[in-house]
């Protein structure tokens, strides 16, 4: 059934040059000429819809219907095949049954078409036969340099050009107006659903791309292209999986450097199938945790629901990102105010009190007002709507809140009250152009539109409004961070040279710690000795108490064989204990090669943490951090970051775990040396990058953090090379 | 300025007879006659609105405007004062300036008015003068038996009677239709906002009560009244605080016994001011944690936002509570299906696979369908909409899902597709009347209304839909639990007689454990001895190893003075150690009275937990449970329940903490004896109730739980009487 090209050309490598990839996508999303292969005269059919849409939207370029049975299609001159088109074709839309697609794609490739959009289903999603067809298409694309969107996708649009290369029913009634938002969605259905919702919200869309089976163009590459488009302010993405972690990261970095907000749904949170198995730390991680960490690290707003996605995207489209997390709350009712304050705390906003001067001014305006924050202007404003504007003015000028939420309930629905409030707000909008002013109100849509048109973000639900404010503040922080050092992927710390990128033959505890020490991870002094007298001398040199540990490539679980002796008090004890230890282990594990006994000073008491590295199949080396004991494995209280990262990111990682309060010092305990811990995590991330491919997993357990000023030390470490089996240290 | 009654009558006790309280509220919410004091001829004024609304809604009873300056008001005969009304008055609405209210209330009391609704502001919310006015009103109400709603409230309505005793602008355009929902809201603004939102959702309201300053009638009492009203199916409540914990609990129990869902916002989550200070366990608890526990325990859905509140209430009004948590997902797109599955996991629903027979049937209908669950009917249904109904039929009959969600995106907006789908759904509605069928779709409101009218719950957002399904399943569980043993507040366990309700004079560790042991909390054998030989004999009797602890009413922190000696191996060692211990402590803490040395067997290793009791100012004795170490104090991983409760509630409490997995057994460790732990918590809750008022705080730390079958033991305990200072044990 599958028509493969008669003489398949040799496979070419995938294009890796970013500039070429970018320009090749430009042909797809900004075409000058479009052929519709399988064009139908019936505008409701799959092959008819794109023609209908292109005509209705006034596509500026050329449109060439291809249909062997007709000379015109929907009033346009038709061609029997793509080869017969006498002009160059940027985009060919393929609306044919699956079994005709490979032939059509081959014809397009021969014609020199720059990009194809394949609507047809019946490929990899249906089984081996379809997968073979899809592979044939991919191969033809690579050979010819023709980019392929789909198959099994709903196509794409560029509303500014009037280019609607799609058969989605979402455009049945009309096509979207251009606007600040772009959508890249793997799922066509979700993409169409989003079009509907953004239209309901009256927010325009510039680009819309559905990627379907992603045999070539994927969501990440689309995001990267959109991140470079000056017309796009907000990127809305929907993905079931990311195929190319590096392009995804590049897209996120580009977006935030260009001040574009990325709002994304990545489904599959509940899919436990993606566990990075066979690794101590990795085994704890559904890959979804890594997605989560990556998105947090690169400033993406990850939405859990379509409503959150649309709310947040619309808020970003509004274009004001508040400079800090301060929030003023203006309310007509005490109860609504408390609710907003609750929500503000939930979403990490700072409801700080109005200053005394401001409070006095509010009091002078409304004697029974709540003046602190929330500012409760009371039902008094029903009698004198002008008061609302005056109170907001005080909050903005005296309180200095970067964001303000006004809880108006259904009052604006009453024209007598709503009109003066709106007029007052408009004056304030001019005076405070950079402040984010959000209204929570319930009113007919035409009233809502008037407030929106005047430059305000409007939400019916207060909780959604405050969630959106928090998201905007988060984007402001992310943009500022990107503007600071230019990139999250900071180069490895300069104050510590990178270690030689070589692994010793044996990676026992001593070798592992030496490697990490060379990379700047603090370890205590230690020495391998081979007998009792050696231990005595080492103990005398480093000072007692010391710890003795058996070292053997054949013994991973040292404590299980009694191979660790803590708190040895004198050099003489060290000699006796070391002799006994070597003797005991030799008898207990007869075949084991005994490298010797590791002598090191006994570490002071501190907080035991676990620091580690594992390799995510999509994103590569990931650093993890958590408290020791049951916290990582049982309580899953663990934080992740993609390597490399800087100290501020390390601090955010440390503070992310629930047990952070323990590090801050509780019950009179001193705070832990978080500075040293953060630097160690940065070094570990540098190490992860330097040894990418050579080291699959690092497990520093425990990494003991002493009180502030006293440092932190890796007391045990395990390094696993690629392909090595996972195991526990100690 | 305050007109107090000339001869204040003596204070009467607050009415505590439930039947009388109920009937007195009936007069307020189901009046036969209403006087409006301060009636205005202008229907837009505060004193004019209730008349306007009563007339428009066709109130069946008598209406008496009171206005000394007019003979008619809005066409009704007016009276110069309430005394002049020649008929009995059930409800008097007071729409007067604050300073005239006390006189008016006095007149109402003399007239024998059954209940007053006071709109006026200017009372306790404004300062001491207002507070005095409010106290005078409260006093008059108590003296006369007249119930008072407000002051500073928006009034109440009973839509079935056409009784609209309110001046809220929410009824400017129309008054709500009767329906299954009742609202009790402390805040008038929130109450009005809710009216607006339920009208938008097209869901009717039977009762609406705003309680304002709550000088007499409060939200809890209204909820209790509504819980007994046959017309009410769903109680929506909004409170800033609960004044009377017992009535609140009684209301919740009554509601769930009567199969009425309670959906509630209790604001003030972020208010750290309500800490039950001065108590070890209590100090960890913002009172909000207790509210949270109480609501969970009594099956209330606690909403965080107005949207959640309204979504959930509308879902409950629909009236189908699914018999279990199974959920079938029908989707037109794979992506939407995965999203729904993610959300289902988040909301604890069971997305179990369709059985093989069902999967085969789906496959036969649509060859490329996803058949497991989510059931992806693919875009194929766009070509053949009838297929959707057939697939749903298979899911319901073969899959047996008690709930089904259909992800229709914007397809129903297309009439050609939507109509056959709706017809198929209607047939299924008849065949499966008890299944919950929820649709997630984006379509114009008139389309949504058609689906709703056909008996389906419709949500635009899939996440909101699934949250609602989970809430409904939760109510089903709560109703079933209430139907089971009849009440959550189970009587104290019958198999263990209650201890004498007497406290010993000294509550040292030994006495505390004896008291708890008598109440059925397992403790190890222990003996107080007074010297070395005594310790030796005790150790010999109970078997070594033993633990020795100093006992002194003057030493609370035993470990800090070296007053605990663990793991004493022989009776002789016990003698030596006990002698040395008494000697050492006598020197170290010279003035301390030494009761003796406590000898008990060394407990086997187990999981250390903390069990305790503290007294919440609103709800009384609360039992807490958490893991030992940093888990309770630092990680706040702790569960609460109002005492008393039964074993199943204790199990739910235990499983609620994040560290629960540790008790289940991890890393090859055996599961802990959760049976014994649960029984101990029940006993502790019985003890809390029995000693209510006598004991303020109990702190069992540690309560060590051994592996299953081996029991659990209180190793140390502290009991604090009322007024005693809080302290740590050990």
């Amino acid at each position: 059934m599958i028509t493969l090209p008669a003489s398949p050309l040799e496979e070419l490598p995938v294009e890796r040059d970013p500039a070429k990839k970018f320009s090749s996508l430009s042909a797809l999303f900004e075409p000058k000429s479009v052929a519709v292969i399988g064009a139908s005269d019936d505008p409701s059919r799959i092959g008819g819809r794109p023609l209908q849409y292109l005509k209705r939207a006034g596509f500026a370029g050329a449109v060439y219907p291809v249909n062997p049975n007709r000379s015109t299609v929907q009033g346009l001159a038709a061609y029997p095949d793509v080869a017969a088109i006498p002009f160059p074709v940027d985009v060919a839309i393929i609306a044919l049954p699956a079994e005709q697609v490979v032939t059509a794609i081959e014809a397009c490739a021969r014609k020199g078409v720059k990009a194809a959009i394949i609507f047809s289903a019946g490929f990899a999603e249906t089984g081996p036969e379809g997968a073979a067809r899809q592979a044939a298409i991919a191969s033809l694309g690579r050979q010819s340099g023709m980019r392929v969107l789909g198959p099994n996708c709903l196509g794409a649009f560029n509303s500014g050009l009037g280019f609607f290369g799609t058969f989605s029913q979402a455009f049945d009634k009309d096509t979207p107006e251009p606007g600040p938002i772009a959508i890249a969605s793997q799922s066509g259905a979700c993409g169409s659903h989003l079009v509907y919702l953004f239209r309901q919200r009256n927010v325009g869309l510039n680009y819309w791309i559905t990627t379907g089976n992603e045999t070539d163009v994927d969501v990440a590459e689309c995001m990267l292209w959109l991140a470079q488009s000056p017309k796009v302010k907000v990127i809305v993405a929907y993905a079931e999986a990311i195929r190319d972690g590096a392009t995804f990261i590049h897209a996120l970095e580009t977006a935030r450097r260009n001040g574009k907000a990325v709002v994304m749904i990545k489904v599959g949170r509940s899919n436990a199938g993606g566990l990075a198995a066979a690794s101590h730390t990795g085994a704890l991680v559904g890959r979804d945790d890594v997605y989560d960490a990556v998105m947090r690290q690169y400033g993406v707003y990850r939405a859990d629901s379509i409503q959150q996605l649309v709310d947040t995207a619309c808020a970003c489209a509004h274009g004001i990102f508040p400079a800090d997390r301060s929030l003023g709350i203006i309310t007509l009712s005490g109860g609504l105010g408390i609710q907003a304050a609750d929500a503000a705390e939930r979403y990490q906003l700072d409801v700080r009190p109005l200053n005394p001067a401001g409070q006095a001014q509010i009091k002078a305006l409304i004697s029974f007002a709540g003046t602190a924050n929330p500012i409760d202007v009371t039902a008094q404003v029903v009698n004198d709507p002008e008061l609302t504007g005056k109170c907001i003015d005080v909050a903005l000028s005296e309180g200095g809140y970067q964001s303000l939420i006004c809880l108006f309930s259904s009052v604006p629905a009453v024209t007598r009250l709503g009109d003066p409030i709106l007029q007052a707000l408009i004056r304030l909008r001019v005076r405070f152009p950079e402040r984010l002013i959000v209204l929570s109100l319930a009113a007919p849509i035409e009233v809502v539109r008037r407030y929106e048109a005047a430059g305000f973000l409007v939400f019916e639900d207060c909780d959604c409004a405050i969630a959106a404010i928090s998201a905007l503040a988060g984007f402001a922080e992310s943009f500022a961070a990107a503007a600071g050092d230019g990139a999250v992927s900071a180069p490895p710390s300069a104050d510590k040279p990178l270690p030689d990128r070589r692994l010793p033959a044996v990676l026992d505890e001593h070798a592992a710690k030496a490697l990490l020490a060379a990379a700047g991870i603090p370890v205590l002094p230690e020495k391998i000795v081979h007998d009792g007298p050696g231990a005595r001398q080492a103990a005398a040199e480093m000072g007692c108490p010391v710890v003795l540990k058996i070292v053997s490539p054949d013994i991973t679980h040292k404590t299980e064989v009694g191979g660790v002796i803590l708190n040895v008090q004198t050099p003489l004890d060290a000699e006796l204990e070391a002799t006994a230890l070597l003797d005991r282990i030799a008898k207990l594990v007869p075949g084991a090669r005994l490298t010797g006994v590791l002598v090191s000073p006994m570490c002071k008491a501190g907080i035991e943490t676990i620091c580690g590295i594992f390799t995510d199949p999509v994103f590569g080396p990931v650093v993890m951090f958590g408290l020791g004991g049951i916290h990582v494995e049982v309580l899953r209280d663990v934080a992740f970051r993609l390597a490399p990262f800087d100290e501020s990111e390390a601090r955010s990682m440390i503070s992310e775990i629930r047990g952070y309060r323990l590090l801050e010092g509780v019950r009179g305990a001193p705070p832990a040396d978080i500075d040293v811990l953060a630097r160690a995590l940065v070094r570990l991330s540098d190490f992860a990058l330097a040894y990418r491919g050579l080291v699959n997993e690092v497990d520093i357990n425990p990494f003991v953090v002493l009180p502030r000023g006293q440092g932190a030390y890796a007391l045990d470490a395990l390094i696993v090379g690629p392909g090595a089996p996972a195991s526990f240290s100690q």
Side-chain angles (χ1 to χ4, degrees), chain A residues 233-234 259-261 315-324 402 434 436 471-473 475-476 479:
Chain A
K233 282 167 70 180
V234 185
K260 296 181 204 298
C316 293
H318 185 64
I320 299 179
F321 298 92
D324 65 32
Q402 293 302 309
E434 305 201 337
L436 178 64
L472 293 172
F475 280 116
F479 296 160

Side-chain angles (χ1 to χ4, degrees), chain A residues 218 220 242-252 294 617-620 642:
Chain A
D218 63 16
I242 293 297
R243 286 159 214 266
D244 176 355
T247 298
F248 183 64
I249 298 295
H250 186 30
L252 301 187
V294 165
V618 176
F619 295 105
L642 215 59

